[in-house]
Amino acid sequence: MLSAESIKKIDREIAKYPADQKQSAVMSALAIAQDEKGWLTTEIMDFVAHYLEMPPIAVYEVAAFYNMYNLQPLGKFKITICTNLPCALSGANEAVAHFRQKLGINFNETTADGKFTLKEGECMGACGDAPVLLVNNKRMCSFMSNGSIDQLLEELSK
């Protein structure tokens, strides 16, 4: 189900916990699986549950609770923009409007070419850098003005 390389990464995460608490690595295991597969199918989550010796429902609950996990196919670039109050007061709503205008999509939609998916996010812990966004859960971008959004979209479109 997962490559040998991904299994090795999961094993390294499991090793961080006592032997009888390997389920503590569930978040890392899901992230590793998602990095390899792009999104988390039921079969992949079942595999993770079996590998970590935990009930599948417990894995589903984790994957459904956190917005960093993709439970359906998304665009090549998932752009998650924080719309909590500090970001909203610093221009997040304007940034969202600009993304919608530039990409022609709303939250939870993907562009026709499959490149971009726009998601609404909760606080990312960088309120002083607002508005902020994450690209594919890995890259944080701060102080997102219309110009910096245009620049980011151009860079990602290459």
Side-chain angles (χ1 to χ4, degrees), residues 2-137:
L2 293 176
S3 69
E5 182 181 334
S6 289
I7 295 296
K8 283 182 188 177
K9 289 178 182 177
I10 292 171
D11 287 341
R12 280 195 298 269
E13 295 300 317
I14 291 170
K16 296 176 182 178
Y17 302 98
D20 64 336
Q21 294 177 24
K22 65 193 296 183
Q23 73 277 4
S24 298
V26 66
M27 290 185 70
S28 298
L30 288 172
I32 291 164
Q34 180 171 280
D35 283 348
E36 178 178 328
K37 300 294 187 178
W39 66 291
L40 299 173
T41 64
T42 302
E43 294 78 18
I44 291 170
M45 290 186 282
D46 288 347
F47 175 85
V48 169
H50 177 75
Y51 198 77
L52 298 179
E53 299 173 3
M54 59 191 294
I57 189 67
V59 175
Y60 304 159
E61 288 171 341
V62 171
F65 182 79
Y66 293 100
N67 69 1
M68 67 183 135
Y69 300 116
N70 306 328
L71 301 180
Q72 61 189 24
L74 300 178
K76 180 178 179 181
F77 299 104
K78 178 174 77 169
I79 298 172
T80 307
I81 187 161
C82 177
T83 56
N84 278 6
L85 187 59
C87 280
L89 292 173
S90 296
N93 295 334
E94 292 82 2
V96 169
H98 192 67
F99 271 115
R100 286 178 173 157
Q101 182 269 320
K102 293 292 282 189
L103 298 175
I105 58 173
N106 288 309
F107 286 131
N108 301 314
E109 294 180 351
T110 301
T111 56
D113 63 4
K115 267 194 187 164
F116 299 101
T117 299
L118 189 60
K119 302 288 273 183
E120 185 172 23
E122 291 298 318
C123 183
M124 297 173 189
C127 302
D129 296 349
V132 296
L133 61 84
L134 287 173
V135 178
N136 291 342
N137 301 324

